[in-house]
Amino acid sequence: LIQEMLEWRPIVCRHEGCSQKLQLMHVQRHESQCHFEKVKCRYASFGCPWIGCRGDVMKHEATECALEKVKFLVHGFRKLETDHSTRLNILQQQQAATLQMQQIYQQNAQRDLVKSSSNLVDLLHYCHVITCATNHFLQTKERWLPFFRSNEGHAAVTNFLVLLPSVLTSGTLM
């Protein structure tokens, strides 16, 4: 009952100069279109100080506003600003994707740098590098230090180097 009374009770528009009385359900629509609502000139962001009623804004822009006379420049600037904003957004998305890919590549590179004593290829490569490619080993020794410093790695290399002459002379791998 109270809600019905409020819906049918006339409400006066809140904009100064407008005395229109409305039902509650029509107030929001009217106030969004009211000719007495205070608005700024569409060139306010470019320096026009005018503030007036919505009903007078077209007259102001057509006859009084100095920036209306250079509207082609203003519209061109707005278009460039929009284009710039769009391109900047695209570049930021590309930058974020690039950083994400860079992190993935770094993780993969770090994973590839970790050598395992249980991996026969890593063991053979390590022994080959320390015996046949000393310069290369000295340049990449940071990659191999964790491999050799572990007890398992040290034992695997020692066993491999001790057994290598026997395997080479017998021609078989046990």
Side-chain angles (χ1 to χ4, degrees):
L1 182 65
I2 294 174
Q3 189 167 349
E4 275 187 42
M5 289 175 58
L6 286 174
E7 287 178 8
W8 293 104
R9 183 174 161 238
I11 299 173
V12 178
C13 178
R14 66 183 170 99
H15 296 121
E16 187 180 326
C18 182
S19 58
Q20 190 162 356
K21 294 180 181 176
L22 308 152
Q23 291 178 344
L24 181 61
M25 66 178 115
H26 300 295
V27 170
Q28 187 177 10
R29 183 180 53 175
H30 166 77
E31 287 184 349
S32 69
Q33 301 170 355
C34 180
H35 291 291
F36 291 95
E37 179 183 15
K38 298 293 182 195
V39 295
K40 293 180 178 182
C41 173
R42 66 178 154 165
Y43 301 110
S45 61
F46 292 97
C48 182
W50 185 87
I51 297 176
C53 295
R54 182 190 310 272
D56 297 334
V57 74
M58 291 185 72
K59 177 185 170 214
H60 160 74
E61 290 173 356
T63 60
E64 302 167 5
C65 185
L67 291 170
E68 175 67 19
K69 294 171 181 70
V70 291
K71 68 180 175 185
F72 64 93
L73 292 174
V74 172
H75 293 299
F77 176 78
R78 284 184 176 154
K79 181 168 178 13
L80 287 174
E81 188 176 38
T82 302
D83 291 347
H84 173 74
S85 178
T86 302
R87 288 179 183 166
L88 182 62
N89 190 13
I90 290 169
L91 287 173
Q92 288 171 339
Q93 290 173 359
Q94 289 175 342
Q95 181 184 24
T98 302
L99 288 174
Q100 188 177 14
M101 289 302 296
Q102 183 180 17
Q103 289 174 345
I104 290 169
Y105 285 136
Q106 286 174 348
Q107 289 170 353
N108 287 342
Q110 287 175 352
R111 186 193 68 225
D112 291 344
L113 292 179
V114 175
K115 305 299 181 182
S116 170
S117 60
S118 61
N119 184 341
L120 185 59
V121 174
D122 285 346
L123 181 62
L124 289 171
H125 186 234
Y126 177 76
C127 292
H128 169 74
V129 167
I130 62 171
T131 57
C132 302
T134 308
N135 288 338
H136 178 70
F137 173 73
L138 293 174
Q139 292 171 354
T140 61
K141 65 183 174 188
E142 287 77 25
R143 288 189 211 170
W144 296 103
L145 285 176
F147 178 84
F148 191 69
R149 283 191 178 156
S150 72
N151 289 336
E152 292 172 359
H154 188 76
V157 170
T158 304
N159 289 339
F160 181 80
L161 292 176
V162 167
L163 293 175
L164 182 63
S166 301
V167 170
L168 290 176
T169 56
S170 69
T172 62
L173 265 172
M174 295 190 180

